[in-house]
Amino acid sequence: MQISGDAHYLVLHTEAKVTDTRVEILDSFQASFENWDRGSRISPIWKLTDDGGTPPAPNLLKGEYSVLLLGPCNPAKLISEIDLKPTPDESVDIWVTTGLLNVVVLIKSEGASPKRERIISWVRAEQYGLEQWALSGGKIASEIDVSDPRVDKEQVQKSISELAQSPTLQKEPILKPTLMEYCSIMASAVSRSASMSPYFFDELCSFHSFVNRMCKEFESGESGLTALHMQSRLLNINAALSRFTSQTFSGVPPVLATECHFWTHSLLGTGSANMALAHIAKFAELRIGSWRIPERVSALASKKSDVPTYDELTSDTDIISNAGDVLGSAESLLSPEQHSQNISPIITYFSGRDGFSSLLQTLSAPLTTITGSNSHHSSLLTITHEISHIFVKGILTVIYPDMSCEEEINKSLEMLVDPTYQADNWLDAIKQLLVETILSMHSQKSTRKIRIEEFSTSEWAAVLKRWRHEVQEILVHTFDYLYFYGGEEDSIDFYVESIWQSWSSIPDIGGRVEEYLLRTLCAISPQVLSHDPSVRYESSKLAVEKSLNNLIGMDLPHGGYVENAKQLLLERWFHDEESKSIHKSFASRIGLVRLVQLFLYSSELSAELRGDWAVGAKDRDYGFKTGHYSQTAITNPIRFLTSVMKKKSSEAESLWVLHQIAFNCNPEQE
């Protein structure tokens, strides 16, 4: 069965008498507003047909109908296991939605309905969520049948109750309302997931254990966090949980009592889309998180043999090939405690305000990715950049001088001031490369000659603070390109075109085009690090120029940013004022690219991130036929998403992509 090209709209109207509820399926979004009432709610739905066509909407006012809302379920499984062929007395239509109840079965029958009974028995045997409506003249009968909870939530509810009574947190005036909010949201989330999704239930229990542990460490003083720091963390967690819960568990039984605040999906929510987003994040969380990169980098402090000199780090091209897999070899340096540490869970959600954004425990994607997940301009693949941010933030806590520690700031300054400084371990070598690059970036943009030996601690601290964000962005872009895009020459166009189409959908970034251009040049440059410096930078410039030309030739909406970037690249590649030269700015940042390539990249981890046993090591084609539902396994959602990317995509195709990731992907499967 194939998803229809155009959406219909399932609309529920609750009249002034709340027991009087009408249901209709409409051909257009606009038509829903003609009879809109205070209790009206809506969700787009797509019919599954043999040819992908879009037939007229059924008139629910005529005849008797049964509506079965079920999920989260791969519709291909339902179709393959239940005979849904129409009979003279009974017809069955299948629709798909973005909700956790992602399948809508519409049955019209004269008298008893054997197919309905078979479907209900099958749903209960498979333990899917279920809500049944009996329609007469388009109105729901007074009794609505819903599924029972599928898992025992008593233990986690007891834990939430105990946290709510925490005496230490209760006596902190600033924390008490925030903690109360957290407990309320989490209690609601676990209760709803208990009847609908064991996957989300387990994830929420894991996340609550993390929050509970964080609060206990705060109470004991082990965390070192102030009340304000705890307040900030809990506020961010509450915001993410609130959106996640509203989007994912709206439109679950009882549907009439759960409303989504994403208003075009106010009836059934976006739970299956949220499941796809969670699977992508979980895949990266497990694959990269299990490598414990920050811990490996920290452990390099004990690696004291053959420590590279600064000249080798910056000038000797042989070190690129001779250093070997530094990150991979650091595994043997980890302590048993570091090996056994829990990986911090992540809450994912969609946001019209935050767009692509990440904090230590939260990750968001724009709402527009629901309707354009596999199109370049709204690509869900951009989430890999935010995933990279999460891990790079952890790495920076190890290698970047702690701005609250004067001793660390002075030590980093000594690395620059002392011309004879030589790191005695590999971690300090990384730190030396980092601070030397920061000084290079600062000097290149300065209008006066920089004399580092004259810097005070506070002046150097100001420089470190100024450049931290830019350092992080370049490390993230390079990390993202190497791990998620393959870091090879044949992936440059795809990477550059993807990030610039994503950026071009952001309003008012005209003043930051130069920053984005420099990040692009750095990101695609690992492969030219071993080239002679006389051609290294020019190679990257030509590659980016070619990709920008490709974008311009596509005649897609870019807000003028792509043209501006190309103009900057060509007109200011060389400039009489060094601070305005793109070439000089790029060259001053190349040390950050070397840092990622040498110390944060492992070919072994890269292979894990890009491989998928379901299709083999080299095959890129999963054998999916766009829009057709199947049960073909996916173990690497990022690789699958890469394989189905298009310049332009439809809302129906985007939903199909999200459903494949939600229902055919097990991110925990090796």
Side-chain angles (χ1 to χ4, degrees), residues 1-3 48 70 72-84 94-96 102-105 122 126 128 624-625 627-633 656 659-660 663-664:
M1 298 289 280
Q2 184 176 357
I3 191 171
L48 295 187
L70 60 100
C73 162
N74 185 343
K77 182 175 174 64
L78 169 64
I79 293 167
S80 68
E81 298 184 12
I82 301 292
D83 180 9
L84 301 176
I94 306 293
W95 310 72
V96 291
N102 66 293
V103 177
V104 177
V105 182
W122 178 83
E126 295 291 335
Y128 294 129
F624 285 102
K625 193 173 181 181
H628 290 256
Y629 281 86
S630 75
Q631 298 183 68
T632 302
W656 173 80
H659 277 176
Q660 305 318 300
F663 304 122
N664 291 354

Side-chain angles (χ1 to χ4, degrees), residues 23-297:
V23 178
E24 56 184 345
I25 297 176
L26 302 173
D27 289 316
S28 71
F29 181 66
Q30 294 82 354
S32 65
F33 298 107
E34 295 174 5
N35 298 307
W36 201 267
D37 206 342
R38 288 169 292 180
S40 296
R41 291 155 60 191
I42 187 171
S43 278
I45 60 175
W46 285 263
K47 191 172 183 180
L48 295 187
T49 64
D50 292 330
D51 59 2
T54 307
N59 185 353
L60 302 185
L61 295 176
K62 297 180 179 180
E64 306 290 315
Y65 288 90
S66 292
V67 179
L68 306 180
L69 305 167
L70 60 100
C73 162
N74 185 343
K77 182 175 174 64
L78 169 64
I79 293 167
S80 68
E81 298 184 12
I82 301 292
D83 180 9
L84 301 176
K85 293 178 182 178
T87 66
D89 299 325
E90 197 173 21
S91 64
V92 180
D93 291 333
I94 306 293
W95 310 72
V96 291
T97 84
T98 57
L100 272 187
L101 293 175
N102 66 293
V103 177
V104 177
V105 182
L106 183 66
I107 303 173
K108 185 175 183 180
S109 63
E110 300 294 335
S113 175
K115 292 188 186 296
R116 181 189 65 192
E117 297 308 315
R118 282 197 294 271
I119 294 171
I120 291 172
S121 295
W122 178 83
V123 168
R124 286 175 173 160
E126 295 291 335
Q127 294 190 313
Y128 294 129
L130 174 67
E131 179 156 325
Q132 303 176 55
W133 298 342
L135 300 184
S136 179
K139 292 187 177 181
I140 299 180
S142 57
E143 291 188 7
I144 295 175
D145 192 3
V146 302
S147 56
D148 295 323
R150 299 158 59 186
V151 295
D152 184 4
K153 59 189 185 207
E154 182 178 347
Q155 186 175 353
V156 66
Q157 285 183 320
K158 181 180 179 182
S159 175
I160 294 170
S161 177
E162 289 173 353
L163 179 60
Q165 300 172 56
S166 164
T168 304
L169 293 171
Q170 285 283 354
K171 72 181 183 182
E172 290 280 357
I174 194 173
L175 288 178
K176 183 176 179 179
T178 312
L179 180 65
M180 292 171 64
E181 178 72 3
Y182 166 79
C183 291
S184 301
I185 298 171
M186 182 57 76
S188 177
V190 296
S191 295
R192 296 184 184 187
S193 64
S195 62
M196 282 297 299
S197 172
Y199 172 78
F200 277 132
F201 180 81
D202 289 344
E203 289 297 297
L204 286 165
C205 288
S206 174
F207 193 84
H208 174 68
S209 294
F210 165 80
V211 173
N212 204 23
R213 189 167 58 251
M214 180 178 72
C215 290
K216 289 183 184 303
E217 289 174 355
F218 171 76
E219 290 178 319
S220 67
E222 294 177 28
S223 68
L225 298 176
T226 65
L228 283 175
H229 283 128
M230 275 294 291
Q231 167 79 341
S232 176
R233 286 194 177 187
L234 285 174
L235 283 174
N236 288 328
I237 287 171
N238 287 352
L241 272 174
S242 177
R243 293 174 188 175
F244 164 78
T245 302
S246 169
Q247 294 164 9
T248 307
F249 302 119
S250 296
V252 302
V255 171
L256 272 64
T258 55
E259 181 176 72
C260 179
H261 295 161
F262 182 15
W263 294 107
T264 52
H265 295 270
S266 56
L267 178 57
L268 297 176
T270 61
S272 56
N274 286 80
M275 184 177 288
L277 179 62
H279 280 178
I280 293 171
K282 188 70 174 181
F283 172 82
E285 175 191 336
L286 292 175
R287 294 299 190 278
I288 303 180
S290 65
W291 266 63
R292 310 185 189 283
I293 297 179
E295 288 82 2
R296 291 191 187 210
V297 173

Side-chain angles (χ1 to χ4, degrees), residues 304-432:
K304 299 188 177 183
S305 60
D306 302 318
V307 179
T309 65
Y310 176 66
D311 286 342
E312 288 174 326
L313 288 171
T314 57
S315 304
D316 185 358
T317 57
D318 288 340
I319 194 174
I320 300 296
S321 56
N322 294 342
D325 190 339
V326 176
L327 188 66
S329 65
E331 181 182 19
S332 62
L333 304 175
L334 295 178
S335 66
E337 292 76 16
Q338 289 173 316
H339 272 293
S340 61
Q341 282 177 356
N342 293 325
I343 300 172
S344 296
I346 298 172
I347 288 291
T348 57
Y349 62 98
F350 294 98
S351 174
R353 184 184 68 182
D354 296 340
F356 286 111
S357 179
S358 62
L359 294 170
L360 286 177
Q361 275 75 52
T362 66
L363 181 69
S364 73
L367 288 171
T368 54
T369 57
I370 296 177
T371 57
S373 62
N374 65 320
S375 64
H376 282 300
H377 70 279
S378 297
S379 170
L380 193 55
L381 193 61
T382 306
I383 201 70
T384 62
H385 177 84
E386 297 307 326
I387 292 169
S388 299
H389 259 295
I390 293 173
F391 293 105
V392 169
K393 284 174 185 175
I395 294 164
L396 283 175
T397 62
V398 177
I399 66 174
Y400 211 90
D402 182 350
M403 304 307 296
S404 65
C405 179
E406 187 173 325
E407 182 180 352
E408 281 200 30
I409 296 171
N410 282 330
K411 182 178 178 180
S412 67
L413 186 56
E414 289 171 11
M415 292 178 177
L416 301 171
V417 173
D418 183 359
T420 65
Y421 178 82
Q422 167 59 44
D424 63 4
N425 65 74
W426 283 69
L427 176 58
D428 279 350
I430 297 174
K431 293 180 177 181
Q432 184 183 16

